Amino acid sequence: MGKKGKKPGRGKEKTERKTAKSEGKRIRRESKKVSEEDDIDAILRNIQKEEAKKKEVHVEENVPAPSPRSNCTLSINPVKETELILYGGEFYNGNKTFVYGDLYRYDVEKNEWKLISSPNSPPPRSAHQAIAWKNNIYIFGGEFTSPNQERFHHYKDFWMLDLKTNQWEQLLLKGCPTARSGHRMVIYKHKIIIFGGFYDTLREVRYYNDLHVFDLDQFKWQEIKPRPGCLWPSPRSGFQLFVYQDEIFLYGGYSKEVSPDKTGSEKGIVHSDLWALDPRTWEWCKVKKVGIPPGLRASFSMCIHKKRAVLFGGVVDMEVEGDVLMSLFMNELYGFQLDTRRWYPLELRKDRSTKDKVVRPCGRINSCMVVGRDTLYLYGGMMEVNDREITLDDLYSLNLSKLDEWKCIIPASESEWLEISEDEDEEDTEDEESNSGSGADETDDDEEDEDTEDHTEKAIDLGNAVSIIRGEKKNIRRKEKRARIEQIRISLGLADSQRTPKPGESLKDFYKRTNTYWQMAAYEHTQHTGKVSLNLRL
């Protein structure tokens, strides 16, 4: 799904307006001229007062599924692999931002949700991290955003949830990492490993590449500092960490750097490097990417299943016409074989001759993905439809041993979208000024018609957006976008370009170009069946 391409120049104007708007927010934040609604200190104090009124744990049985959200956490109960624990997250409706502090427990077998309310709960947050170990869930960091996004607060608090009693406890221990969000946490034996993240100081955004360890036996923090001259990943947030035996892998991420020119503008960087950390020596080494790695993307999800890491989703922004950007949201699966360190596309094995409609989650970012009993669970996240952010609440499952089909447990629901009128008012003013001129010609009429068409597409109701997400309707202007999207997919090395010959490409050239892909696909298809993989030879 991509943003609608407009005429060259319109994308630039919109970007400039958004930049000016963001700069205005920054100035107001720095000058502390914020509305009562955006007074984060007051908001958090009120939340704390409400929490103090709670005297006992309250469990509400068989409640509706959680509301749409992204940047939440989803954990497998360590002592019951058919139960998922969901906490926090955020939702943006086009006008206001809502940050959640609710705790849900989901029974996969019964398809039932429980809503837990406990005294002394953590304040609402998103972009935090959670780790499950024994009978507890550990949560660190995250952020709280005011409704108008004028202010936000980064946390450095550390919490423990007892899954037997549903009681929270804040762990006030010395040496914890500084406040941040967008970091990542993994469990290695009896230790929690935290790396990276970012912190917004209002004047600048600071990205981290520090490494912290929490010993779950001794309940102590330790910062691991790099030795002089050693290799170390650069600062970043939004990457992924995953553990295999005595190695901790780091892949991807996002950061910003200040341009060298005098403007002081910032440029976003999407990382695609792969690192391995030895937790016995705390030494990093850079890993060469082999096989068929995923194309460049940000905000993807990853989880571990046996000897492989599984990657889903993400987004890439591509310049498709002049200064117009198209955001392509991915819904493909990639595998990383942990013992051989090879990447490959993960293809479903469902019989293509079936007449049943193939179910597949829509492309998205910032979703939750976990594995329990060989089953992958994918929840929530965010995508865009015609420049509108659609926050999801759907739940999918995929048997990773069979790799036969995605199953939709909970379909996406409709959620409210309230368009901010400032940009539209500016565009209306521009149109009125243009129409009031006496020298309007056919070109102006054409532009007016296209603007009207733009407005019509912007006015698409959310019911249609959900239909698009579910695949019930064709994408808007799909014929016009198909060629551009295909070019993007080929340039990114996505799976379709590996399975299908290019226009005018002979079969001999096609098999020569995709030989490695088919070898990896054959290996992936037969590794669970015991059959012998055959190399394709010309």
Side-chain angles (χ1 to χ4, degrees), residues 2 7-8 13 16 65 114 131 133 138 142 183 193 201 205 259 273 288 307 315 319 340 357 412 423 427 436 473 488:
K7 288 189 175 182
E13 291 172 7
E16 289 175 348
K114 295 179 182 179
I131 287 292
W133 191 67
Y138 295 86
H183 52 291
I193 316 296
T201 64
V205 178
S259 300
D273 47 351
K288 182 180 179 181
K307 292 185 178 181
V315 66
E319 187 173 295
T340 61
K357 185 176 180 179
D423 290 345
E427 290 181 6
S436 64
K473 294 188 177 182
I488 294 171

Side-chain angles (χ1 to χ4, degrees), residues 468-530:
I468 292 172
I469 291 171
R470 294 176 180 172
E472 296 169 0
K473 294 188 177 182
K474 294 181 180 180
N475 295 339
I476 296 174
R477 287 194 171 187
R478 182 163 63 177
K479 290 183 179 180
E480 297 181 13
K481 294 179 180 178
R482 187 177 297 160
R484 294 178 186 171
I485 292 177
E486 183 59 27
Q487 291 175 354
I488 294 171
R489 295 175 67 86
I490 293 172
S491 67
L492 293 172
L494 300 179
D496 281 352
S497 66
Q498 300 291 330
R499 295 195 303 262
T500 307
K502 298 177 180 179
E505 184 179 33
S506 68
L507 287 178
K508 181 177 180 180
D509 291 340
F510 165 66
Y511 285 123
K512 182 178 180 181
R513 174 173 62 84
T514 61
N515 182 42
T516 304
Y517 166 80
W518 291 112
Q519 289 185 46
M520 294 302 300
Y523 167 73
E524 169 57 26
H525 184 75
T526 59
Q527 64 172 323
H528 298 292
T529 64

